[in-house]
Amino acid sequence: MVQGKLAWRVGRLAAVRDETPSARTLALDVPGWPGHLAGQHVDLRLTAADGYRTTRTYSLAAPAEGERVEVTVQRVPDGEVSPYLTEVFTVGDPIELRGPVGGWFVWRPTAPDPVMLVAGGAGIVPLMAMIRARRRAGSRAPFKLLYSVRTPEDVYYADELRRPEPGLDVTIRYTRKGPDGRPGEPHRIGVADVNTAGWPAEFSPQCFVCGPTGFVETVADILVALGHDARRVKTERFGPSGS
Amino acid sequence: MGIVTPGFRGRARSDDERLPPGQYLVEDFPVLSAGPTPRVRTENWRFTVTTEAGRKHEWSWDDLVALPSETPTVDIHCVTRWSKLSTTWRGVSLDTLLEDVDTAADHVMVESHGGYTTNLPLEDLLDGQAWIAYEFEGEDLPAEHGGPARLLVPHLYFWKSAKWVEGLRLMLDDDLGFWEAAGYHSYGDPWREQRYQGD
Ligand SMILES: Cc1cc2nc3c(=O)[nH]c(=O)nc-3n(C[C@H](O)[C@H](O)[C@H](O)COP(=O)(O)OP(=O)(O)OC[C@H]3O[C@@H](n4cnc5c(N)ncnc54)[C@H](O)[C@@H]3O)c2cc1C
């Protein structure tokens, strides 16, 4: 029998917000939610009518608002769970979840040191939780975000990231197609991007890198090559495949 | 408990008996770790077993590869729910490495380059259940999969199979490793779905 915070709870879908044509934010009301830190995740468990069950992990997208928590799910074509969550799951429906899980890839608002966030695709989700937690706490820790997406239509939280925010620098790089009328070839993030959009290693920032495995592998190697202490580089790889 | 998720059907069920509950099969080999990939050169590689009395047994790379090796073909199961069947490795059995180590310890802390640790009962490393593996599918073990050498304990969730392994510390009392202290299960049996503390 699971006790305490890792017990399964029943949450209910309270609201949805489409972030991009293929990503949707789900706001869940979870009675008894104990609160969480930015960077932690939840397990969602789905049960079919015949008793078949499956579970997936999703990062928490924002600090908790009382018993309301948010996740943002990207639809994986031919996926088992994400198409359900983004297309079928309806306001009012129940779902089982447990968490918060994960105590390593977290940012605490009391930490004063500079923060470097590097996101690839859906990897923005836990990093956005950190940006929102910073804002919520009135933290003055200086933040930089480097965010790699395919096209401008794929930017999550676009309006919020476009609004100027003191102490937060946002750099977006496009891998397929940039915004119209903007110079610069679309490209994958490389050393020059991390160097110019990031903190010098001497500032000893906390670095958080999140995205698909190949992306995380590349960025973490770049940070270490630029002189960042590997122990200050935390990574979260969104499985399951190395794509 | 058990509530039905309205409208959720799920994919066709796998009836593969080698698949523990809650796992799905992958063909590729996902990479999961907490930080950047350490690159450890074999010239500098050392493997140390430290007993509870503080006695050290040490092997260099040349020592390791000179020992009799085995080529186990095993299924591996990651706590993030992928499983990979029939993977073939080459490595040295822990039975060989621990043969001359005199200990009364019941517990082991595995220590890796980069500071990663994971705890195991000593008996789970013995009797042909665990290896220090340095080849995967006939090739040198790549750095992202823990090369030059990793622990391989296929009967437990794969986070126990510490990458970039540096040594074993024998302990009279159990202690928690890196993920275990972060809330993951102390033992991690995939067949009992021991994912988190309390499972
Ligand atoms: C710590 C963590 C945090 C995460 N946070 C987020 C997040 O914030 N947002 C987000 O969108 N995702 C997140 N993920 C990823 C998420 O958990 C799921 O992996 C993702 O939503 C895909 O699930 P799915 O069921 O739709 O796809 P799956 O059905 O799991 O499929 C994914 C891929 O694997 C293949 N596949 C899987 N199972 C099978 C099978 N049995 N047979 C054949 N092919 C198969 C599919 O073809 C597909 O290409 C996170 C993952 C982790 C580990």
Side-chain angles (χ1 to χ4, degrees):
Chain A
M1 180 65 205
V2 181
Q3 302 288 336
K5 68 173 183 169
L6 284 179
W8 289 101
R9 301 169 194 278
V10 178
R12 213 162 271 283
L13 185 60
V16 299
R17 197 164 57 240
D18 285 327
E19 301 292 351
T20 72
S22 66
R24 170 173 273 192
T25 294
L26 311 175
L28 302 165
D29 281 333
V30 188
W33 183 252
H36 59 263
L37 290 167
Q40 288 189 296
H41 47 259
V42 288
D43 278 358
L44 297 183
R45 178 161 81 180
L46 292 85
T47 307
D50 66 358
Y52 168 77
R53 262 189 184 164
T54 193
T55 306
R56 292 291 183 286
T57 302
Y58 293 95
S59 297
L60 290 152
E65 294 243 17
E67 296 184 330
R68 178 161 291 192
V69 300
E70 287 188 3
V71 295
T72 304
V73 179
Q74 158 143 61
R75 184 160 52 251
V76 174
D78 78 342
E80 181 175 38
V81 169
S82 60
Y84 171 83
L85 290 175
T86 52
E87 289 169 340
V88 182
F89 192 41
T90 306
V91 170
D93 285 348
I95 193 161
E96 285 179 289
L97 77 166
R98 67 172 175 175
V101 185
W104 167 248
F105 191 84
V106 295
W107 179 76
R108 291 184 167 78
T110 48
D113 19 355
V115 171
M116 172 73 198
L117 307 174
V118 190
I124 187 68
V125 177
L127 307 184
M128 194 66 200
M130 296 179 189
I131 290 171
R132 288 167 167 167
R134 172 185 185 273
R135 186 186 308 140
R136 169 83 60 90
S139 155
R140 299 227 208 127
F143 268 46
K144 288 177 186 279
L145 167 68
L146 174 59
Y147 182 11
S148 172
V149 287
R150 288 184 179 165
T151 74
E153 292 72 52
D154 295 306
V155 177
Y156 291 18
Y157 321 117
D159 292 341
E160 198 175 330
L161 286 175
R162 210 176 290 129
R163 271 198 299 272
E165 189 166 334
L168 169 68
D169 282 351
V170 177
T171 307
I172 303 183
R173 291 281 177 264
Y174 305 92
T175 57
R176 298 251 172 105
K177 178 174 103 32
D180 293 339
R182 190 91 75 71
E185 279 292 298
H187 65 277
R188 286 172 179 250
I189 285 182
V191 180
D193 301 288
V194 177
N195 201 20
T196 47
W199 301 103
E202 308 86 88
F203 287 28
S204 300
Q206 295 194 65
C207 302
F208 295 94
V209 185
C210 187
T213 296
F215 174 86
V216 169
E217 206 52 27
T218 306
V219 173
D221 285 350
I222 290 175
L223 285 165
V224 172
L226 288 171
H228 291 271
D229 180 349
R231 286 166 301 187
R232 307 270 296 166
V233 179
K234 296 189 176 179
T235 58
E236 184 120 284
R237 295 162 162 97
F238 281 8
S241 74
S243 63
Chain B
M1 192 170 44
I3 57 152
V4 170
T5 319
F8 177 70
R9 255 176 248 110
R11 221 189 325 251
R13 322 296 187 245
S14 166
D15 51 11
D16 198 319
E17 283 173 7
R18 290 157 72 190
L19 205 56
Q23 299 290 113
Y24 62 85
L25 290 176
V26 296
E27 294 300 325
D28 60 348
F29 193 166
V31 177
L32 294 160
S33 45
T37 297
R39 318 269 162 194
V40 186
R41 301 162 65 97
T42 51
E43 303 92 274
N44 304 329
W45 190 87
R46 288 275 176 292
F47 181 71
T48 310
V49 173
T50 310
T51 69
E52 71 277 18
R55 210 161 151 237
K56 285 190 194 307
H57 301 254
E58 202 175 80
W59 292 263
S60 68
W61 186 257
D62 291 342
D63 297 337
L64 180 80
V65 296
L67 289 170
S69 66
E70 297 177 1
T71 51
T73 295
V74 295
D75 302 342
I76 57 179
H77 312 291
C78 178
V79 71
T80 63
R81 296 173 195 284
W82 57 263
S83 290
K84 196 169 165 58
L85 303 183
S86 305
T87 59
T88 301
W89 306 74
R90 176 189 294 278
V92 177
S93 166
L94 264 299
D95 293 318
T96 305
L97 291 162
L98 294 172
E99 204 167 55
D100 297 323
V101 175
D102 186 16
T103 181
D106 286 330
H107 303 278
V108 177
M109 187 67 79
V110 186
E111 298 178 328
S112 290
H113 194 92
Y116 178 82
T117 55
T118 187
N119 59 308
L120 293 149
L122 178 58
E123 63 177 9
D124 283 79
L125 294 182
L126 300 175
D127 299 327
Q129 297 185 94
W131 297 266
I132 299 296
Y134 51 80
E135 276 183 23
F136 174 68
E137 306 294 354
E139 308 272 346
D140 290 347
L141 185 62
E144 66 267 30
H145 291 307
R150 75 181 298 161
L151 184 63
L152 177 66
V153 197
H155 69 286
L156 299 178
Y157 280 128
F158 215 45
W159 88 79
K160 296 282 180 183
S161 292
K163 300 182 191 179
W164 312 297
V165 69
E166 251 185 349
L168 305 181
R169 192 155 47 78
L170 294 159
M171 308 182 295
L172 295 172
D173 298 310
D174 200 8
D175 196 0
L176 297 180
F178 176 87
W179 290 118
E180 294 84 3
Y184 282 82
H185 199 275
S186 227
Y187 185 62
D189 180 347
W191 295 96
R192 285 148 71 194
E193 279 204 82
Q194 292 175 333
R195 298 175 189 279
Y196 305 124
Q197 298 290 354
D199 278 354

